[in-house]
Amino acid sequence: MSSIFNSDNKEATQIGIYVVLTAAACVPAFFGIDAYLNIIGAAHDEAVATAATLVLFGCIYIGRHLATIWSARQREIPRNVLNGLALAIAVCFVWLFVHVDLQFETFRGINLLLYWMPFLMIGLCTGALIKLFRMSTRKELEAAKTQAAQSQSELHLLQSQLSPHFLFNTLNNMYGLSITQHEKIPSLILKLSDLLRYSVYEANETYVPLKDELAYIHNYIDFEQLRIGDRLELKTDMESLINNDIRIAPMLLIVFIENAFKHSKNTSEPTVFIEIRLKVWGNSILFYLRNSHNRSDVHAQTVEKHSGFGLANVKKRLQLLYPNQHDLAIENEETQYTVNLRLNLR
């Protein structure tokens, strides 16, 4: 019962709005029509202007109704229909003023027809154009909301996959260390606890302060340094931030860094080389990463196959969160892997 009552109130409100808008529009329409009738020298111009104003708005509402009937079977409103209606209105306006000098003295009925037909067409086309434009805008808005909801749902799914993916890779690494270097496990567990706390509890927002993300990256690098030891040759140049104004999508850069450590540790070289740079420059976040790896190594290819999930995930998130607002370039050479990423500031 309450829903019916609310629906009736909403309909009454819409009718009231239409009445107020119509009354407000009648005044300038009357003066415009009256001025036109003075130009063509019509008799009793005020009475005719009043009648013409009523006819005009009657045609507008008829045009709206006809447009509603026509659009009922249309999935979307073609742009050429809207353009055609606008063109028809413009042609009719031009004809009304051009026709002033084209009088048929002996055929008064023809004169009336030539005046009134474009006038009626203006009303019908205007009503149809207003209705179809509103419906087209509403449908585009609904489609945009649907797409946004779908993208948001997909984004949440991608974010929910990040922690299990990271945890799976980390536990595999710790298992190997528990056999060969078990003395490192307690420190690694503490670092892992901090990493998981961030990824589970603090990285659920669409965007987080870049300062917090950098703290997480530094924590991860410390974790890897404990795990790899003296074999790691690491160069970092990451800008220090003290405020929360600059934001970034969470767990975005860590995928590249994680892959860099996985690629490097599987090379046959005695040292693991990784270079990481991050800088805020103008309106952009610039991220650069270079690491050593052996593309021809069979085991490295196996790791790359299993780590493809993370890279595919981050590319999809970039499309969703930074559409036309990022540049990603990846170079996979024989002995090194390079990532260049630019993000617009949020």
Side-chain angles (χ1 to χ4, degrees):
M1 180 66 71
S2 61
S3 61
I4 297 175
F5 181 74
N6 292 335
S7 177
D8 291 340
N9 281 344
K10 185 177 180 180
E11 185 175 350
T13 302
Q14 288 181 339
I15 293 174
I17 292 173
Y18 286 142
V19 170
V20 172
L21 291 176
T22 302
C26 278
V27 176
F30 170 82
F31 285 109
I33 293 171
D34 184 59
Y36 172 76
L37 293 173
N38 285 328
I39 293 174
I40 65 175
H44 311 292
D45 54 328
E46 290 186 358
V48 175
T50 302
T53 302
L54 296 176
V55 170
L56 175 66
F57 282 92
C59 287
I60 288 175
Y61 279 98
I62 292 173
R64 283 172 54 87
H65 183 67
L66 294 176
T68 302
I69 296 174
W70 176 81
S71 62
R73 297 183 179 181
Q74 305 294 321
R75 297 185 61 182
E76 60 181 21
I77 310 299
R79 283 289 174 183
N80 57 350
V81 173
L82 299 178
N83 295 335
L85 288 171
L87 180 61
I89 293 171
V91 170
C92 289
F93 266 113
V94 172
W95 171 253
L96 284 176
F97 286 95
V98 170
H99 175 251
V100 172
D101 298 328
L102 301 178
Q103 298 289 333
F104 295 89
E105 296 294 340
T106 57
F107 299 101
R108 188 170 181 274
I110 294 179
N111 283 325
L112 290 175
L113 186 65
L114 292 175
Y115 280 121
W116 280 101
M117 283 302 295
F119 184 77
L120 297 177
M121 287 296 297
I122 288 173
L124 292 171
C125 291
T126 300
L129 180 61
I130 292 173
K131 185 64 177 179
L132 292 179
F133 181 78
R134 286 191 62 192
M135 295 181 69
S136 176
T137 303
R138 187 183 300 116
K139 288 183 177 181
E140 288 179 358
L141 182 60
E142 290 175 354
K145 286 182 178 178
T146 301
Q147 182 64 34
Q150 182 177 352
S151 297
Q152 191 68 21
S153 176
E154 186 175 358
L155 179 60
H156 286 320
L157 177 61
L158 290 171
Q159 285 182 315
S160 68
Q161 293 170 341
L162 288 173
S163 295
H165 174 67
F166 167 75
L167 183 59
F168 174 78
N169 290 327
T170 304
L171 290 177
N172 274 345
N173 293 332
M174 291 179 65
Y175 171 76
L177 284 175
S178 67
I179 299 174
T180 58
Q181 303 178 54
H182 57 84
E183 68 279 359
K184 291 185 176 181
I185 295 299
S187 298
L188 289 174
I189 290 177
L190 289 176
K191 287 290 183 182
L192 178 61
S193 176
D194 292 335
L195 292 170
L196 291 179
R197 184 180 297 110
Y198 177 84
S199 63
V200 172
Y201 295 110
E202 300 179 33
N204 292 324
E205 299 294 328
T206 305
Y207 299 99
V208 298
L210 179 58
K211 174 175 66 70
D212 296 345
E213 189 72 7
L214 286 178
Y216 174 79
I217 290 174
H218 283 298
N219 206 6
Y220 177 81
I221 292 174
D222 291 342
F223 176 88
E224 289 291 349
Q225 284 180 313
L226 280 173
R227 185 175 62 83
I228 299 176
D230 296 336
R231 190 183 171 206
L232 177 63
E233 183 182 332
L234 178 66
K235 292 183 179 180
T236 60
D237 182 13
M238 290 186 278
E239 188 169 336
S240 298
L241 300 172
I242 58 174
N243 58 59
N244 295 329
D245 295 338
I246 301 173
R247 303 176 71 82
I248 190 173
M251 308 289 287
L252 193 66
L253 305 179
I254 195 64
V255 175
F256 299 111
I257 297 173
E258 180 187 351
N259 283 343
F261 279 99
K262 283 192 296 183
H263 291 162
S264 298
K265 76 182 182 65
N266 288 294
T267 63
S268 56
E269 299 296 324
T271 59
V272 173
F273 174 78
I274 297 176
E275 180 181 3
I276 303 172
R277 299 178 190 171
L278 188 141
K279 187 175 184 63
V280 177
W281 183 266
N283 195 38
S284 301
I285 297 173
L286 305 178
F287 174 75
Y288 171 83
L289 183 145
R290 181 167 62 95
N291 64 270
S292 57
H293 84 133
N294 189 346
R295 191 171 60 180
S296 62
D297 186 79
V298 176
H299 185 64
Q301 290 178 356
T302 303
V303 172
E304 175 66 18
K305 177 182 177 181
H306 291 291
S307 66
F309 167 81
L311 191 56
N313 184 303
V314 77
K315 287 181 177 179
K316 186 62 176 179
R317 293 182 68 211
L318 283 171
Q319 293 173 6
L320 292 171
L321 295 172
Y322 295 90
N324 301 318
Q325 297 178 354
H326 75 277
D327 295 304
L328 174 63
I330 297 176
E331 297 180 8
N332 187 6
E333 299 177 355
E334 189 66 31
T335 58
Q336 68 178 17
Y337 192 89
T338 307
V339 176
N340 273 290
L341 176 64
R342 183 196 63 81
L343 301 172
N344 284 10
L345 286 183
R346 289 291 184 179

